[in-house]
Amino acid sequence: MPQPNLLKSFTRINPFKFYRLDFCLRNLGLGMIGIAAGLDRFNCTLALIALINIFLIQAYSFSANNYYDYQVFGELNYIARLRARGISLKLCFALCLLPLVLLAAILAACPSYAAILFLYLLLFYCYQTPPFRLKNNYLLSILINAVCLGSILILYPHLFINQKLNALGAYFAVLYFCHLAFFELIHQIAHLGKDQIMSLPAKIGIGGTANAIKIFQLLIIFLALAGWFMLPAEKLIFITTLLFSLLRLRKLLCLPALQDNFLKLRERPDRFYALWEGLCYLV
């Protein structure tokens, strides 16, 4: 395949699509929730650094995930489109690493709680990189997504700002672990037959996975009730969790267990109420 020169290669790459910046930017909301849960020690500069760091680490993991999906089984993602335009795999890989270089420079100056980000990197490395490819494990893939894109995106900014874990920070870390596991199951149903991985729907069927999704909503409802009992001063937060979880559960109970239905849920602009719920927590 003919190789274009380096300058032309860069002009053919859309950073928004390459790094999946729509996901990176949207998920900054979790970092903002983590920060808001520790506002007793708010520092604007530290908050900005924490958000930049979780933005960069996501940009790496999302682009690298596309890179390895293309390299392992030829997935027709954005890397495949770049290869069709003559962009080399070496350049694609180097661009995947660019956010890590910037992140390393920031962590060298501000290393507080960097171990949490190293855990994110380790888990996602095992998730997407051969020979591990833990995304092929229908249980570990759910666990890794929930920990990295849920709990860690809450915990790192919270601890970076607050320098300790308070009860509200712990609540949101557990809550968004459950949320991300819930959304990962919807994602797996929507992609059943499209991704060459062993997902939970491929193992137990769409109906069984739909039941698991409902169980996660029941766990979230229980978590909110327990939080309300233990932290009555924060009852508005728990009422918000209960309201959105009950709305989701009602929707799921009325939804036939068909792949197209879960695909529509995944493609909703409000991410199945997640954007509105997050905004309520911040307000």
Side-chain angles (χ1 to χ4, degrees):
M1 184 181 294
Q3 299 291 316
N5 65 50
L6 192 59
L7 181 59
K8 286 185 177 179
S9 293
F10 278 118
T11 61
R12 296 182 182 186
I13 297 172
N14 183 332
F16 194 86
K17 294 180 179 179
F18 186 87
Y19 293 111
R20 304 191 71 178
L21 297 186
D22 52 339
F23 288 91
C24 297
L25 292 169
R26 184 195 71 209
N27 289 348
L28 289 183
L30 299 187
M32 293 171 69
I33 291 171
I35 291 169
L39 279 180
D40 51 318
R41 292 192 59 176
F42 182 74
N43 179 294
C44 187
T45 302
L46 292 180
L48 182 61
I49 292 171
L51 292 176
I52 290 173
N53 284 350
I54 63 171
F55 174 85
L56 290 172
I57 204 167
Q58 288 181 92
Y60 160 73
S61 62
F62 292 151
S63 58
N65 186 61
N66 273 350
Y67 173 85
Y68 286 113
D69 281 352
Y70 170 77
Q71 191 179 50
V72 172
F73 57 82
E75 182 181 270
L76 298 178
N77 53 33
Y78 190 66
I79 299 294
R81 291 169 60 184
L82 294 179
R83 292 291 292 134
R85 298 173 191 170
I87 309 297
S88 72
L89 269 179
K90 288 183 179 179
L91 178 58
C92 291
F93 185 66
L95 289 175
C96 290
L97 295 178
L98 180 59
L100 280 188
V101 175
L102 299 175
L103 177 63
I106 296 173
L107 291 180
C110 304
S112 181
Y113 291 97
I116 297 176
L117 298 183
F118 290 139
L119 175 62
Y120 180 110
L121 290 175
L122 176 62
L123 289 174
F124 254 113
Y125 180 82
C126 294
Y127 174 81
Q128 60 201 11
T129 310
F132 305 103
R133 292 287 287 179
L134 294 182
K135 70 187 305 178
N136 292 322
N137 184 299
Y138 60 91
L139 292 179
L140 290 178
S141 62
I142 297 168
L143 177 66
I144 290 172
N145 274 282
V147 169
C148 291
L149 299 179
S151 298
I152 287 179
L153 295 189
I154 293 282
L155 284 175
Y156 174 73
H158 176 79
L159 292 170
F160 192 78
I161 295 288
N162 211 38
Q163 294 297 303
K164 63 181 180 179
L165 180 64
N166 64 25
L168 206 52
Y171 169 78
F172 280 121
V174 176
L175 172 65
Y176 277 93
F177 173 90
C178 294
H179 271 331
L180 266 293
F182 165 81
F183 287 117
E184 174 61 17
L185 289 174
I186 291 178
H187 168 85
Q188 289 189 3
I189 292 178
H191 278 237
L192 182 63
K194 301 174 185 178
D195 294 341
Q196 297 180 33
I197 61 173
M198 176 54 70
S199 63
L200 191 63
K203 187 75 173 177
I204 66 173
I206 293 176
T209 308
N211 289 333
I213 289 171
K214 295 167 190 173
I215 290 172
F216 270 109
Q217 281 306 299
L218 291 173
L219 285 174
I220 291 171
I221 290 170
F222 174 79
L223 177 66
L225 291 172
W228 194 341
F229 177 77
M230 292 184 289
L231 297 170
E234 306 291 351
K235 63 182 179 181
L236 288 179
I237 287 175
F238 306 123
I239 289 172
T240 299
T241 304
L242 284 170
L243 174 63
F244 281 100
S245 296
L246 288 170
L247 286 173
R248 286 193 192 95
L249 186 59
R250 179 179 177 275
K251 177 76 173 178
L252 290 167
L253 290 172
C254 297
L255 192 73
L258 301 174
Q259 185 176 19
D260 284 348
N261 290 333
F262 288 94
L263 181 61
K264 290 174 183 177
L265 286 182
R266 184 174 182 270
E267 293 179 345
R268 284 176 61 117
D270 62 5
R271 310 303 295 181
F272 197 29
Y273 313 144
L275 293 180
W276 305 125
E277 183 178 354
L279 285 173
C280 288
Y281 292 137
L282 289 173
V283 171

